[in-house]
Amino acid sequence: MRDGHGEWTIGAGERSLTFLKSELERENTEVVPLSGAEVPSECDAVFVLGPQRAFREDEAEALIDYVQGGGHLLLALDPLVSREGMQPTGFEAALAEVGVRLDS
């Protein structure tokens, strides 16, 4: 699971998915948090669950590159709202390159 942008986490805290981690581990799935732009080669899937801060362009591109290399990605993006209105998630350009339009 991806972390570092206010996503739901696998550890303790207000936005914890400890129950999901437990269920996945019961199915012999190793669940680890990922930080930074690179995805380890042994990673089978990345979940980005409800980030509250935008991704940098290089982070979003790294995840799309991971998918294009055969990886699996679940993006569960919440709207990023500020006083100025809707803010970009950081995935708009990277997803557009693979034919996915991300609307506000």
Side-chain angles (χ1 to χ4, degrees), residues 10-62:
I10 56 174
E14 186 176 315
R15 293 175 51 98
S16 175
L17 291 172
T18 303
F19 69 93
L20 177 60
K21 180 181 185 243
S22 297
E23 289 300 314
L24 289 170
E25 288 176 341
R26 282 180 22 156
E27 298 294 326
N28 295 320
T29 301
E30 182 181 4
V31 180
V32 297
L34 296 178
S35 296
E38 297 302 317
V39 178
S41 60
E42 66 274 6
C43 185
D44 292 323
V46 175
F47 296 176
V48 178
L49 305 175
Q52 296 180 319
R53 290 183 297 283
F55 278 66
R56 294 188 326 260
E57 189 174 312
D58 65 313
E59 293 172 319
E61 287 178 3

Side-chain angles (χ1 to χ4, degrees), residues 45-100:
V46 175
F47 296 176
V48 178
L49 305 175
Q52 296 180 319
R53 290 183 297 283
F55 278 66
R56 294 188 326 260
E57 189 174 312
D58 65 313
E59 293 172 319
E61 287 178 3
L63 290 173
I64 300 305
D65 290 346
Y66 164 73
V67 170
Q68 290 177 322
H72 300 88
L73 174 65
L74 170 66
L75 293 176
L77 302 174
D78 290 338
L80 300 177
V81 182
S82 72
R83 293 179 198 210
E84 293 80 35
M86 297 295 290
Q87 300 298 310
T89 64
F91 282 98
E92 289 79 5
L95 289 173
E97 290 178 18
V98 295
V100 177

